[in-house]
Each structure stands twice: as structure tokens, then as C-alpha cells.
Amino acid sequence: MKATRLFFKRPWIIIAICVILTGVFGFFITGLGIDNSIRQFLPQKDASYTRLTQTEDEFGSMIVIGVSLESKKGTILTPENIEVVRKITDRCLDLNEVEGVDSLTHIDYVCEYDGSISASQLIPDSYTGSEADIEQLEGRLAEWSDMYNRVIVNDDNTATQMQITIHSMTPEEKATSKITDAERQQKILEQVRQVVVEECEGQPLIYKIYGDPVVAESARSFMISDLAALIPLVIVVVLLSLFFSFKTVDGTLLPLITVVMSAAWTMGLMALLGITFTLVSSVIPVALIAVGSAYGIHVLTHYYVALDGVEGELTREKYVEAIFAGLKEVMKAVLLAGITTIVGFISLVSSPIEPLHSFAIFTAIGVGIALLLSITFIPALFYHFYSGFAFD
């Protein structure tokens, strides 16, 4: 008890440190990177992932953005539509990080030349868009239907697709890059989308863009929208629960304030350490608000019990005694509850899935921070402000 009194001798210092750290860590949250790429959910040390990276080293990248174009007016095999495909292909090939494009205008065609097998382009350099050229193209597609059907064109030749292959970053490039691989892919996707939109404008074509980068982009959008909806919802639910439990302003707000502070510290720490935010990590703020508020509730409950047990007039000395008595009564139980929760989250690091590691570690850190704030920040507030006295 003597050590506890000594620790809280200058409660305003504890309050100031907590508020300042919240502001500092909160400032860094804006720099938190988001990575929702599919590959991060693959076991990075598994033999299958190693084979994947080795195959890419030998045969090229497998990260692909797909673009499909569907004609609104019959066949896709018209000079105007083919020209759109050519322009999109040429512009995408000029983009940085694009390794290659397979499309109607840029794909091999195996044919006989001077008595031998030769590989040329499906649409030759002599193509002019004449009816004869279109008939030749249709004949080549029909001749090699196993090669081109449902690869470059669909069954009835009303749509075509192209595959844009993105450069796969090496571990060395990832280590030295100023942006994450997910951010790089997102940037390329935006450039490809801009090209497609510009070239299809005013054309009788319906375009669709797909692939892993598009899935990651959609996952990012869903994650942000979920956070925007879930965080206010869980705050309202916790506030209502606290209000109906304590029916006091401090009992309603203080447990929530501590977990919001712990969430800010945790997210800011992730940003400082360069840890990206993933679909799994998006659970951290909601989990901290739901789980971390329990420690503040325990501290406040014993605080109120200690106040109710004060006999006679409530003086300054009795009020301070009640604060420390309640804290002493709950300290052991709250510490044990926090430790078991932290250990439970830490156990997830045994999973081979990389995003679960950061989720486990930083959720455990967030729980530890919420626990620490509950037994320091809340008593310091009561000691300094709620007593109505100024201490030396």
C-alpha cells in the first residue's frame, strides 16, 4: 500500500503521460499501411509456398490483372473493338511493373511457314481491319479453338479477355521498397483501370476488371466499411451496458476511455513498427473495446464498493483511503484476468498464417495496455480530479 501511495503521489504526471502518449501514437495511426493481398494468408514457410516462389523465379510472375471486354452489339471481332484491345494492351505494356500482356492482339499463333512450324502473332502485322482480315482472324480462332476458346474469346465471340502480368517483388525488393507489395499492386491496378476506362469511353463495350489485386482492393473497402460501422456500434453497446450497470458519468465513460486509448496506442505502435493492417488485424480495435473494458469495470466496481463502505462523513482522507482500498482489493484478480487473456491471444502465434501472428501479438499488447491504464489512469483521475482537492 505504501508503494502504491508513492506511485500516485503525483497523479497529474500519470494523467499527462497517458494523454501525451495517446496523442503521439494516435498521430502515427494515419501512416498505418493496409495489406489485404491473398498471398499473405498462405503459410510463408510451407513447402508449397516455396515452390510457388521458385516457379515464379523460373517462369515469371503469377500475379495477374484480368480485363474482359464484352460487346453490346454482337461480335467482339470488329475493327473498332480490336483497336480498343490493341490500345489497352499497348498502354498497359508501357506501365512500370507490368511484365507482359496476353490479349487478342498480343498472343502467339503457331502456323506453317516454308515447310516448318513458325510462331507468329494471332493478328499479323499486315492486319488492316478489312473484311478479309477479320475473316482470317475468325478462321484462326476456330482452327485453334482449344487454344483460344475461353482463353482469349468466349464461345460465341461476343467477349474477349486479356491477362496483365505484374512483376512479382523479390524478398530483397520488398525489404528495400518504400511501399508494401499490396500498395504497389493497388497503384498498378488503378493505372490499368484508368487505361481501360479511357479507352472504352464512348465505345459499345462493357468492361470488367478482376484478379488478386481486385480481390485485395475489395477486401480493403469491406474492411474499412466494417470498421466504420462496427467501432461506433460496439462503443454504443458498451456505453449502454456501462450506463445501465453504474448509472454514473464516470462509470459510463472511464472504462471506455481506457480501451479507446489502448486501441490508439496499439494501432500507433503497429504503424511505428511498420506492421501492416490486414483483414485479421481489423478485429483488434473492436476486440479491445469489447474485451479491454472489463478491467476498468472491475476497478470501478471495487471503487464504488469501497466508497459505499465508508462510515460517517466522506472526508479527503477517507476518500483517498477508499481509492487505494478498492484498488488493492481488485489488483490481484484484475492482473490474473489480464494475464490469462494475454496468454490466450499469444498462443495464436503458433499458427502458420502470418497475419494471425501480428493479430495475436498486438491484441495481447492492447489488452496489456488496457489493463495498465485501468489500474493507473483511472485511479489517478479519481485521485487528482474527482476528489476535488489539489495535491502537492
Side-chain angles (χ1 to χ4, degrees), residues 58-128:
E58 295 178 10
F59 298 99
S61 173
M62 297 183 187
I63 305 174
V64 173
I65 297 175
V67 178
S68 71
L69 302 176
E70 182 179 358
S71 174
K72 297 179 182 178
K73 301 177 181 179
T75 180
I76 193 73
L77 302 178
T78 66
E80 294 78 16
N81 294 339
I82 292 172
E83 184 62 21
V84 171
V85 174
R86 185 186 298 279
K87 288 180 179 179
I88 292 174
T89 304
D90 289 341
R91 289 183 63 182
C92 287
L93 284 171
D94 289 337
L95 297 177
N96 292 329
E97 305 290 341
V98 172
E99 287 189 352
V101 180
D102 290 328
S103 70
L104 185 65
T105 59
H106 289 67
I107 193 169
D108 290 340
Y109 174 73
V110 178
C111 60
E112 183 271 335
Y113 181 77
D114 286 342
S116 62
I117 296 176
S118 174
S120 61
Q121 288 291 305
L122 177 64
I123 298 179
D125 294 336
S126 59
Y127 168 84
T128 61

Side-chain angles (χ1 to χ4, degrees), residues 166-181:
I166 300 174
H167 168 66
S168 180
M169 294 180 74
T170 64
E172 293 76 17
E173 288 174 330
K174 290 180 180 179
T176 57
S177 176
K178 295 181 179 180
I179 60 175
T180 65
D181 191 26

